[in-house]
Amino acid sequence: MERMHESLSIEDLERFEHSHSITIPREYRDFLLEYNGGYPNPSVYKISEKLGESIVNIFYGIGTMYDNLEKKFDLFDEIVEAGFMPIADDPSGN
């Protein structure tokens, strides 16, 4: 990760989970606690042979940063299927 967000405490992570009535999977919790989102480097990844490559602009973090997970979680609440949550975006805003 390049240009990570400010550190995230386990208490803030648990507060986020509680306020949204969710349990974040262990692997993603570990990622948030280590990086709290940020800018991946490299940002290009391969989806599949058929679909080719895509780009991740930023992984959302928890806190006061502009692209924070709380804001995106609330914004996409009606759009994202139950059981899923937005964690990042691409150049098209997906």
Side-chain angles (χ1 to χ4, degrees):
M1 292 298 290
E2 187 173 284
R3 293 180 21 217
M4 299 169 286
H5 298 306
E6 68 266 7
S7 295
L8 177 66
S9 70
I10 189 73
E11 293 82 15
D12 288 337
L13 178 57
E14 289 172 349
R15 194 172 306 119
F16 176 83
E17 289 178 311
H18 181 72
S19 70
H20 292 285
S21 302
I22 62 170
T23 300
I24 295 174
R26 182 184 50 79
E27 293 86 355
Y28 189 53
R29 286 173 62 94
D30 292 346
F31 171 79
L32 287 170
L33 290 169
E34 184 170 349
Y35 301 106
N36 195 21
Y39 299 86
N41 185 13
S43 61
V44 176
Y45 67 97
K46 187 174 191 174
I47 298 171
S48 68
E49 289 297 326
K50 182 179 177 181
L51 296 174
E53 295 181 334
S54 189
I55 298 172
V56 172
N57 284 339
I58 187 170
F59 285 98
Y60 307 134
I62 295 174
T64 60
M65 71 286 297
Y66 177 77
D67 283 312
N68 72 69
L69 190 54
E70 182 112 32
K71 182 172 33 173
K72 301 299 182 175
F73 194 91
D74 293 340
L75 178 68
F76 291 110
D77 185 47
E78 300 294 320
I79 300 170
V80 176
E81 186 177 331
F84 292 90
M85 60 188 254
I87 62 167
D89 76 15
D90 69 9
S92 298
N94 297 313

